[in-house]
Amino acid sequence: MKAKAFDSKLFRRILTYTTPYKLLYRGVVATAILLSIVTALRPFLLKKTVDVYIEPKDSYGLLWYVILMGIVLILEGVFQFFFVYWANLLGQNIIRDIRQQLFSHLLRFRMKYFDTAPVGQLVTRTVSDIEQIARIFSQGLFMIISDLLKMVVVLGFMFYMNWRLTLIVVAAMPLLVYVTRIFQRKMQVAFEEVRHQVAAMNTFVQERVTGMKIVQLFNRETIEYQKFKEINQKHNKAWMKTILYNSIFFPIADIISSLCLALVVLYGGFRILDGDKFTTFGDLISYTMFIGMLFNPLRQIADKFNEMQMGMIAGNRVFDVLDAQDDKQEGGTIEAPQFKGKIELQKVRFSYIPGEEVLKGISIGIQPGQTVAIVGATGAGKSTIINLLNRFYEIDSGTITIDDTPIHDFTLPSLRRQIAVVLQDVFLFADTIYNNITLGNPNITRKEVEAAAARIGIADFIESLPGGYDHDVKERGVMLSSGQRQLIAFLRAYLSNPSILILDEATSSIDTHAEELIQHATETITKGRTAIVIAHRLATIVNADTIIVMEKGEIVETGNHQELLQLEKGYYRKLYESQFSESSIQ
């Protein structure tokens, strides 16, 4: 969406974040006012020094005026320090608040949102876009206010000192304002393109770095490099536009300022030569400073307005995420207790994409303490059931209940606290094994972790690693094998003490030794709990109480291992025969 040249509604919304910092906000405004006054005093005092003390050769008065100018200069430095420091402090406080609000908002989105929103783009919104908002205050709004105040005070002094010379300066200002306005419009479009290209580059780099193994396995280095070159070129082209506009504008602004100064000196010089008592040498000297104080802020306002505009564009992108309510999860009001583990799905229909059903009215009943296995080809809808139980997605129709209560009635944190999931692709954070197991839960002690590891049979594996429980697994757990990551996930699930345990392809890509450990861990953590096991390797589910066979979003067979093998043309029997010899069939 193309941003407005100045979106007042968006600007007012950003300003609402200053409310908790009213005192700091007022301090910045106050120092801006004081700074504008003492800055304009310097040329005025210089005029007085030249006209009243230098020309009459009054050395005593000259000394006192020089001291006075020194005091004014010190005050200007003090006010400048507090103005810059407080403006930046306010900006940093505001982006801290917005970033925390944004991240909290992201944590509550449904998985549907993350299915369509590129990770790199979200990183850009959370980091660099929010950082740009701070510049609205540190480099934009307050700098513009300060410059405008300086210009008003400077013009006041100039008219007081010599209105004729001031009219020459004022006559040149509309031309600079017009050039500035053109520059600002061009830069607004250029900056919008820059932000777009930054987000595109972040997204591309994040995806390729994350998927570097695939890039190298399929020899795509050259192809991906060429793609990056194209994206980088677009990014470079967007920035070059801003450089071009700056290269044109600032020399033109300098020329206008210099011509104005030349006219003032020329006109004022002739007035002095003609004996005009209202025009003095002090006027000419002070006006060389006044013109710089008047034209430089006017010239820089365009640049500062662009800083503010970039912050507004970034703010608009951030607020687009904050305003996304359709994908925000809504929890119930009931605090989920320790479940008995009765699960029922009644005529559940669901589609990730409207019109393309993944689950087609399935009904499942699981009794407390049962171990139920779900099998079927890829895309049959097995993992979707798990996603719906955890309310990562919302069903299209039907009902899902746990212990006869619809899952929508439970608060999301309490619901998920009672369900532990071990996935095929285990995600570990760049942290120690201990922190990956507890996930920062202060209620889980080191002794409890060690005791739990011993109970499920993986204590020896963890203690064999360098540092044991303090071993840093690095980003995504790359220092561990897939089987080792699975064992960590089992321990993590076990320590959460869930009512319901879900194993989603948890043993599909591990070695025999790791599978033996996982089988023992599975028996330990499923004991006394309702368990749902999704598996391709049928050997891991032969002892399940019930096996549900799915195909294309529908349940085609239900029964235990022996019952399903008795079906001559059964789907499960075919799956089993494809993995084992017929002689194994009992």
Side-chain angles (χ1 to χ4, degrees):
M1 182 178 69
K2 184 179 173 59
K4 300 177 184 177
F6 185 82
D7 191 333
S8 58
K9 184 178 178 181
L10 176 64
F11 183 65
R12 286 195 299 271
R13 182 174 180 181
I14 293 174
L15 282 183
T16 61
Y17 287 90
T18 65
T19 303
Y21 311 102
K22 286 182 179 178
L23 186 62
L24 185 58
Y25 181 83
R26 290 167 184 166
V28 177
V29 174
T31 51
I33 295 171
L34 292 171
L35 184 61
S36 65
I37 294 172
V38 296
T39 300
L41 267 176
R42 284 193 292 112
F44 179 74
L45 292 176
L46 182 61
K47 167 189 163 56
K48 290 293 184 182
T49 302
V50 172
D51 293 342
V52 179
Y53 299 105
I54 293 180
E55 282 197 76
K57 299 182 180 179
D58 182 351
S59 59
Y60 181 78
L62 174 63
L63 178 62
W64 278 108
Y65 253 68
V66 169
I67 292 173
L68 181 59
M69 283 193 291
I71 294 171
V72 169
L73 188 62
I74 292 171
L75 286 174
E76 183 179 353
V78 171
F79 291 142
Q80 182 75 23
F81 167 77
F82 282 107
F83 172 71
V84 173
Y85 179 76
W86 286 345
N88 279 275
L89 179 61
L90 179 63
Q92 289 302 315
N93 285 339
I94 287 170
I95 66 168
R96 178 196 62 200
D97 295 345
I98 296 177
R99 184 175 283 128
Q100 288 175 182
Q101 182 186 359
L102 178 63
F103 192 72
S104 175
H105 197 70
L106 287 173
L107 290 174
R108 287 164 177 78
F109 277 139
R110 297 191 188 109
M111 287 297 107
K112 180 181 178 182
Y113 182 85
F114 299 103
D115 290 342
T116 56
V119 174
Q121 188 181 87
L122 293 178
V123 171
T124 301
R125 300 291 179 268
T126 310
V127 182
S128 59
D129 277 345
I130 289 183
E131 200 66 41
Q132 190 63 46
I133 293 175
R135 298 178 71 84
I136 292 178
F137 300 95
S138 61
Q139 301 296 325
L141 174 64
F142 292 123
M143 290 295 182
I144 291 173
I145 291 174
S146 176
D147 286 344
L148 289 175
L149 285 171
K150 285 179 186 176
M151 291 169 64
V152 170
V153 174
V154 164
L155 280 173
F157 273 101
M158 290 172 71
F159 273 110
Y160 172 75
M161 288 166 50
N162 193 314
W163 64 268
R164 292 181 179 88
L165 294 180
T166 304
L167 287 178
I168 296 174
V169 177
V170 171
M173 289 179 68
L175 177 60
L176 185 57
V177 170
Y178 175 72
V179 173
T180 299
R181 182 60 177 160
I182 294 175
F183 170 72
Q184 183 271 321
R185 287 176 177 171
K186 295 289 187 182
M187 288 296 282
Q188 187 270 327
V189 175
F191 279 139
E192 190 173 4
E193 177 63 18
V194 166
R195 299 310 306 162
H196 174 74
Q197 293 302 332
V198 166
M201 181 175 289
N202 284 348
T203 300
F204 183 89
V205 172
Q206 189 274 333
E207 287 181 345
R208 270 55 185 186
V209 171
T210 303
M212 188 58 70
K213 183 180 289 186
I214 298 299
V215 171
Q216 294 183 355
L217 279 173
F218 289 89
N219 297 315
R220 290 186 58 86
E221 292 93 336
T222 303
I223 296 172
E224 298 302 335
Y225 174 69
Q226 291 301 324
K227 287 183 179 179
F228 179 79
K229 279 182 65 176
E230 292 175 11
I231 294 173
N232 195 35
Q233 182 62 33
K234 290 179 181 178
H235 177 263
N236 175 261
K237 187 176 179 181
W239 269 112
M240 287 305 297
K241 282 185 180 179
T242 69
I243 294 170
L244 174 64
Y245 296 146
N246 276 293
S247 301
I248 294 172
F249 170 73
F250 287 106
I252 291 176
D254 286 338
I255 289 171
I256 294 172
S257 176
S258 299
L259 288 175
C260 179
L261 178 60
L263 288 173
V264 167
V265 172
L266 184 64
Y267 177 77
F270 278 120
R271 297 288 295 181
I272 292 171
L273 292 175
D274 289 341
D276 182 9
K277 62 180 181 179
F278 297 108
T279 304
T280 66
F281 283 110
D283 288 335
L284 295 184
I285 293 173
S286 63
Y287 265 67
T288 58
M289 295 179 65
F290 274 135
I291 289 173
M293 290 181 176
L294 195 63
F295 277 56
N296 284 342
L298 187 62
R299 183 186 70 176
Q300 291 170 5
I301 278 174
D303 192 40
K304 290 164 184 173
F305 190 87
N306 285 324
E307 288 286 355
M308 194 163 71
Q309 185 64 44
M310 283 190 73
M312 299 273 281
I313 293 170
N316 197 46
R317 295 175 185 272
V318 169
F319 290 137
D320 279 345
V321 179
L322 283 173
D323 292 340
Q325 296 295 331
D326 291 344
D327 291 314
K328 196 172 181 182
Q329 301 182 39
E330 295 179 0
T333 57
I334 300 175
E335 194 74 13
Q338 189 79 17
F339 291 138
K340 294 177 181 177
K342 180 183 178 183
I343 302 172
E344 288 188 342
L345 285 74
Q346 293 289 335
K347 298 180 179 179
V348 171
R349 293 184 177 274
F350 173 75
S351 54
Y352 292 103
I353 302 171
E356 299 181 16
E357 280 194 334
V358 178
L359 298 182
K360 303 173 182 178
I362 67 169
S363 296
I364 298 173
I366 302 174
Q367 296 305 310
Q370 274 193 329
T371 297
V372 174
I374 304 176
V375 300
T378 301
K382 307 183 298 297
S383 295
T384 298
I385 295 174
I386 309 310
N387 289 332
L388 297 180
L389 273 176
N390 280 281
R391 286 197 61 201
F392 290 137
Y393 300 88
E394 302 298 340
I395 59 177
D396 297 339
S397 63
T399 58
I400 300 177
T401 62
I402 298 179
D403 292 350
D404 300 320
T405 301
I407 60 174
H408 288 82
D409 294 346
F410 297 118
T411 62
L412 282 170
S414 66
L415 171 67
R416 292 172 182 166
R417 201 177 298 124
Q418 296 301 322
I419 303 174
V421 182
V422 180
L423 300 171
Q424 175 184 359
D425 184 17
V426 176
F427 186 94
L428 298 180
F429 295 96
D431 208 332
T432 64
I433 287 180
Y434 175 76
N435 288 335
N436 269 287
I437 291 168
T438 63
L439 294 178
N441 187 342
N443 298 320
I444 302 176
T445 67
R446 182 74 166 239
K447 288 184 178 179
E448 288 175 331
V449 172
E450 293 174 354
R455 279 195 297 272
I456 67 173
I458 66 171
D460 291 341
F461 141 64
I462 295 176
E463 291 168 1
S464 69
L465 296 170
Y469 291 91
D470 296 317
H471 179 65
D472 190 342
V473 301
K474 305 302 181 184
E475 188 175 358
R476 298 182 66 87
V478 295
M479 301 303 291
L480 302 177
S481 69
S482 60
Q484 290 172 328
R485 291 196 296 270
Q486 290 286 357
L487 292 170
I488 298 300
F490 268 84
L491 181 54
R492 181 162 65 189
Y494 181 54
L495 275 166
S496 68
N497 193 28
S499 303
I500 299 168
L501 177 68
I502 297 170
L503 307 179
D504 189 356
E505 307 287 2
T507 59
S508 62
S509 58
I510 57 177
D511 56 44
T512 304
H513 175 64
E515 184 174 356
E516 290 174 359
L517 290 175
I518 287 176
Q519 287 285 27
H520 175 70
T522 302
E523 291 171 6
T524 303
I525 67 177
T526 57
K527 192 173 183 179
R529 293 184 175 90
T530 299
I532 300 175
V533 181
I534 295 175
H536 279 301
R537 298 170 71 169
L538 302 186
T540 62
I541 61 167
V542 293
N543 295 320
D545 298 311
T546 303
I547 299 172
I548 297 171
V549 184
M550 295 188 65
E551 184 179 17
K552 296 180 180 178
E554 296 178 318
I555 296 174
V556 292
E557 294 170 10
T558 303
N560 60 35
H561 175 68
Q562 294 297 335
E563 290 170 346
L564 293 176
L565 287 181
Q566 301 306 314
L567 302 176
E568 276 192 34
K569 297 182 180 180
Y571 190 96
Y572 179 82
R573 182 183 175 111
K574 290 179 181 177
L575 286 175
Y576 193 80
E577 288 174 347
S578 68
Q579 293 185 24
F580 301 93
S581 64
E582 291 189 20
S583 61
S584 300
I585 301 177
Q586 301 297 326

